[in-house]
Amino acid sequence: MNITVEQVLSIYPLSEGKLVAGQNGASRLVKSVKVMDAPDIADWIKEGEMVFTTAYLMKDVPNGAIPLLRKLNQRRSAGLGIKIGRSWDGVPERIVEEANRLDFPLIELPYECSFSDRMNGLFHVEMQYHTQMLHTVLDKQKRLMRFALRPDRINHFFQKLLGILGYPIAVIGSRGQVVFNATSFGAPQLLRGWPWEKKAQWAFVDEGRCFRVPLTEQDECTGYMVIFPENPHRVKAEEELFLQTAEIISYHMGVIFNEYRNHAAQNELGALLSRYLRGSGTIEALTEEAARRGIPLFQGAYRGLLSIVSPDAGSGEKERLLRNIREEMQYHPELKEMAVIHFCIQEGLFSIFLVDAPGADGKLIHLLRTCLRGLLQEDCGAPLRICVSNKKNRPNQLRDAYKECLETSRLADRLGIREAVVQFGTVELAYLFQHVPKEHMQTYVNEVLEMLLKKDPEYSQEMLRTLETFIENDGQVNETAKHLLIHRNTAAYRLEKVGELLEVDYKKINDLLRLKLAFTFRQMLKPM
């Protein structure tokens, strides 16, 4: 129990009582209640205990209550409640005067209500308080865990923690530097007694009481979190929450500061990268500078990724979207297991994904499409597109990877590809044949698809769409049916009829290649 004397007197049936003396002590905390009429009552009292008595042992010697008041005050008792009507009709004036002198709360309790009724009232309020406290702590823990899964830039990071905890906090570095401070105290006040013990404990800062928790990384103390609850006597249940918060700060401070350090280094490397990509620098200069900064650029096979924001977005919106995509790639539980290095360049965010690990290359595109789906779809007005190069094995192929990403973006727009993640392989045929004259393209399309194009327009369009979807899904009937929202047998039947009409065998690579090229030309012939 941790409520003030003033709050106690607002709880029925104690609200029927009257504070007759010691009004200045009404803010004393009541931690527990004790009913006693023993002569040595004061010897058993602990700090914060409120005593209820009938004054039976003092009824004939009222002056004997004065030493009792002094001893209760000395032992930091919360106050004394005297039941009126049995021994006294009212508290003697001399006792009232002494209680006022000591600022010791003295309460007259009406005879009608029993002590058990009064204690039950207090216990009921205490139970409600703890229930509410547990719900509050649980809600904060849920919000804290959701927040921990996705960190933010360092200023936003601490501001969001403030919003979750609801209490002022300060973060002190290992050398005593103030990293963040949202309290009303300055550095000299916060750092009083520095260096501190490397353990979680309550401490005093001027008139305030705080909970101080060391921040550790690999068993090394890297600083402290200092939190100032509004009423530190009432938040025992939240201490575990404070410890969890300190663990999150410890982890993410390391991650975020390393990220900021790497980000600064990568920005400087970005200038070298840009010169190299445009043909005025060398790959050796780039890799040597990266190695000097402790950034391994090439450790095997890799793919280049270029994240591009639509030109319709403003500069601020573009920066926000690229930052979000970078953080998602870096912190998503699945994507963060893959080695990646990011560079900010003029076109957008250029990333190098290492795909030398077994299975890494095969799952990269799938992970990009699934893990980033929400982020790629959330801004319909200014969409992001991620262009992925073919797999490269040598450092000096980085410029080729970059050019493939640029071509992927350009050709995806020309071909009307709506997917957010596009591989160069998807547009590779269009890239190879883009300089073929349009009349030659049209002639080829008519030759390959002639028998189907002669059919009824409605039938022809339905069959063409089925065949094109089949080609786009690498000859997988199940995937074709799924994309067209039809039954597998329906898709198989249509493909059989088209195969007979065009005289193609889907098991022959040459026939599939001819169909793929014909549909590529059809896309390239559409007006832009």
Side-chain angles (χ1 to χ4, degrees), residues 287-303:
T287 53
E288 286 174 10
E289 181 63 19
R292 189 181 71 81
R293 295 177 178 274
I295 300 176
L297 274 183
F298 305 104
Q299 295 179 320
Y302 62 92
R303 284 182 186 261

Side-chain angles (χ1 to χ4, degrees), residues 115-131:
F115 287 144
S116 61
D117 289 337
R118 294 184 175 93
M119 295 177 74
N120 285 337
L122 289 173
F123 292 150
H124 178 69
V125 170
E126 181 72 3
M127 184 178 296
Q128 286 182 322
Y129 164 74
H130 278 291
T131 301

Side-chain angles (χ1 to χ4, degrees), residues 342-377:
H342 303 288
F343 298 93
C344 291
I345 60 175
Q346 183 178 356
E347 292 81 4
L349 181 69
F350 187 64
S351 309
I352 302 173
F353 265 87
L354 303 184
V355 293
D356 213 30
D361 190 35
K363 68 180 183 180
L364 173 61
I365 303 301
H366 172 72
L367 285 178
L368 289 171
R369 285 175 174 159
T370 55
C371 300
L372 305 178
R373 184 182 293 117
L375 184 61
L376 291 168
Q377 293 176 349

Side-chain angles (χ1 to χ4, degrees), residues 158-217:
F158 289 130
Q159 292 296 338
K160 287 184 179 179
L161 279 182
L162 278 176
I164 292 171
L165 296 174
Y167 303 126
I169 65 171
V171 177
I172 311 300
S174 59
R175 300 186 306 277
Q177 72 276 26
V178 178
V179 177
F180 177 81
N181 184 13
T183 74
S184 59
F185 302 102
Q189 296 164 297
L190 286 172
L191 294 172
R192 190 163 297 158
W194 181 270
W196 301 324
E197 292 184 77
K198 296 177 182 178
K199 66 178 183 179
Q201 60 183 339
W202 289 95
F204 288 96
V205 176
D206 287 353
E207 298 300 321
R209 193 165 183 236
C210 64
F211 192 62
R212 206 157 55 202
V213 190
L215 307 175
T216 58
E217 184 177 0

